[in-house]
Amino acid sequence: MVSWENPEDNGGTEITQYTVECRQPSQRGWTVVSNDWTKRLIKAPLTEGCEYFFRVSAENKIGVGPSIETKSPVLAVDPIEKPGEPIDFHISEIGKTFCFLKWKKPDYDGGSRNIGYHIEKKPKEAEEWERIHKGAIKETYFMADRCIENQIYQFRVQTKNEGGESNWVTTGEVLVKEQLVEPEVKVKLEATLVVRAGDSIAIEAAVKGKPQPDVKWTKDESTDEIKKGPRLQLETGVDFSKLLITGARRTDSGKYIITASNSAGTSSATGTVNVLDRPGPVRNLKPSDITTDRCSLHWDVPEDDGGCDIYNYIIEKCETKRGVWSVHSNAVITNKAKVTRLIEGNEYIFRVRAENKMVMPFSPTDTPGPVMNLEATDIKQTSVMLTWNPPENNGGSEVIHYIVEKREIDRKTWATVKTELQPDKIPVKVSGLTPGTEYYFRVTAVNEYGSGVPKVTPTSYLASDPVILLLSEQKKSKNYLVNFYIADIPGPPEGPVEISDIDSDACSLSWNKPLEDGGSNITNYVIEKCDVTRGDWVTALSSCAKTSCRLGKLIPGKEFVFRIRAENRFGVSDPLQSERMVAKTDTFLLVLLDVPSEPLNCRVNKTNKDCMFVAWDKPETDGGSPITGYYIERKERNSLLWVKANDTVVRTTEYPCAGLIEGLEYTFRVSAINRAGQGKPSKKTDFVTARTPVGELIDNPLLDVTKNSVSLVWTRPKNDGGSKIIGYYVEAMREMKWNKVNRKPLTERTLEVTGLTEGVEYDFRVTAVNIAGLGKPSEPSASTTAQNPISKSQTSVHMIT
């Protein structure tokens, strides 16, 4: 709105109109806003956020008079009002000397984006509220860490913007003291964990309690703590503990007890594990009641049933003169049995095996053993001759026939060539081979009890015709039959590479087979991708059997190149490279995205016994996409693992990492996140010990003042930070700068500062120091002018400027 008054002199004739003009400071020309003579209050159409100068000139019948101009530019912004009150103000955590406060932004910001907060506290006995921070807080949380243990407090917060301050929001009264929570342990197993021998055993337990409980694992009745080993791994975090045993054995069966202890108490939980395996051997096998054609057997059950009930026994017999075992019965359910149909005068030995429900023991049979000396000869493009000798052990029965099978080297299944090959048909010709293909062959002997153990050729054979070489030697010619083939890696796939179905994060590729397969079938294709802006090749798909594929995990707006390699049993070919392709974006503007660079200047600003404030600066580059948040990780000095300190993304550049263990040393690092993903972590901070810092001194250090000296006296801090106070430093402010008075820490709590200038005002403050470092300085003394009276002191130090 632009307004003005009528001119004092209308020039002797009536004013016909007013002309209102505006311009931005960077412009020279004026723009007419209105020339309506009926209005002296004009609403000007402006652009928000820009500055403008205005001028108005009056006009009568004679002409236009001189204009009047605004002296300073006016910013076009909406009027700003007071903001609303913070929402959900509460105390989320209470410690020995701190309260962690949280709240949410107000629903109404008053038209200003520059929102801040003020926080105050009040002990129960106090009448006035005390501000507990300097400046305005931008975050929606605050650590009030200068509380006195066992004192009752109230806290309040208000919102502040350029338009003013909101009403206060106050918490109820709260007692500040260390919260002790008895440990609670819960093993995440609903029933007994059953695994097979050789598998892994994984037991996880949820652990709660304050302070952080100490956790240990034991087994069965033993009190010895389970330690890490080659097969055993332990991992314990803030709220969990995991036990992992690889290569499970029967001896790993039993009860595993996890015990959590802290100053509030102890809690335990149990998880039961049963490892299933083959049953052990039967015991005390004895024959009895021997007659001409039968006998009785009796035995004791195995000491170890393998983890489940034994439901069957297998009895085998062997004539000592033949040395061949045969099954007498495989359906014995008790630990005794009668063996019949023995031959009078023959000597027998017996053996018994137990069988349980889950794991079958190896059961030797009376089927034939493997054939002997299996080999392929007379190899051609479509056929081969196989020859072998009968098995050394026929299972106590003559071999009836043989089963002949073949398998291409690139396949996993066997194809039957002959199902019932008679023993007098050896050697046998195998026909129907594919030229240039490699094959394995196997033969299985069969007797009246069934098929025996198959025998596989020791090497593969290539279906190809032999080459005849003519060698000359002293005018004599000899023909040699040489069977060979040339094998090599395949040639590159044939182009072109067709790129289709392009999306923001995926595309489809297709190509043609190589012209040369290197003498062996193509078994696989390897596809690689390259982000043109980065220039490095990475594997996008390592296993592709077809000449087409669908690739994902592309970054929108990025330009990519692809290349494809063919693979056979001898190696990988040279690549076939595609043309460049740009992944689609959600808008018409093409933006090349990358992950952000690492955050800068990562540091620990504030330390407590179970909480540290970690701060950092924004990365130098955001990768072309706004940074959406940060992840914070922490690591103990003696640990190799980095652990996430925040559950959700942090959107500010400072975060309180709570849940620390007092006395342990921690280091931190931070990673930035944008649309392209998570960037590299920052440089880690120095190791900092979780310890309450030395407290602030109680009273202002001032006693007597003269024209060139002042005597200071102060008291010990209420909180020594858990370590003995080793001295004090005194500082004096002059010309808006704090200067140290003493070089070395003072052991006494009095000091005379000399060398002051008469009539000049000074401020003094004192800082205590312990083994952990400097504490917070005392509140500055009231400004003191160097002037006479007299004072006494115990120590005299000349002020250092």
Side-chain angles (χ1 to χ4, degrees), residues 489-493 514 516 522 525 564-568 571-576:
I489 61 174
E516 297 291 336
I522 302 297
Y525 292 95
I564 301 102
R565 299 175 187 266
E567 184 178 5
N568 66 7
V572 181
S573 73
D574 293 331
L576 167 68

Side-chain angles (χ1 to χ4, degrees), residues 524-599:
N524 184 44
Y525 292 95
V526 179
I527 297 89
E528 299 170 289
K529 65 181 179 181
C530 174
D531 179 352
V532 175
T533 60
R534 297 170 66 103
D536 54 336
W537 289 93
V538 296
T539 301
L541 190 62
S542 60
S543 178
C544 179
K546 300 179 181 180
T547 57
S548 63
C549 69
R550 179 76 175 171
L551 295 183
K553 297 184 178 179
L554 305 181
I555 301 175
K558 281 284 188 179
E559 188 175 15
F560 289 91
V561 180
F562 305 95
R563 64 186 186 189
I564 301 102
R565 299 175 187 266
E567 184 178 5
N568 66 7
R569 67 176 297 212
F570 301 105
V572 181
S573 73
D574 293 331
L576 167 68
Q577 187 163 314
S578 73
E579 298 292 331
R580 294 188 176 189
M581 183 277 296
V582 178
K584 289 183 178 180
T585 58
D586 296 333
T587 66
F588 292 103
L589 178 64
L590 178 62
V591 180
L592 299 179
L593 302 181
D594 198 359
V595 295
S597 61
E598 62 270 16

Side-chain angles (χ1 to χ4, degrees), residues 383-394:
S383 64
V384 67
M385 294 295 293
L386 293 181
T387 181
W388 64 89
N389 295 327
E392 191 174 65
N393 178 15
N394 62 7

Side-chain angles (χ1 to χ4, degrees), residues 438-457:
E438 290 184 78
Y439 289 90
Y440 283 104
F441 302 93
R442 75 177 183 184
V443 176
T444 306
V446 182
N447 66 6
E448 62 176 326
Y449 298 106
S451 300
V453 179
K455 178 70 173 181
V456 183
T457 54

Side-chain angles (χ1 to χ4, degrees), residues 596-605 614-622 627 629-632 650-655 669-673 680-683 685:
S597 61
E598 62 270 16
L600 304 175
N601 191 24
C602 186
R603 59 201 180 274
V604 176
N605 279 348
V614 181
W616 58 92
D617 297 333
K618 292 183 178 180
E620 289 184 351
T621 61
D622 61 5
I627 292 175
Y630 300 90
Y631 277 122
I632 299 95
V650 175
R651 305 192 186 278
T652 60
T653 55
E654 186 179 23
Y655 181 76
R669 67 183 185 186
V670 182
S671 304
I673 308 164
K680 294 181 179 179
S682 67
K683 293 181 179 179
T685 66

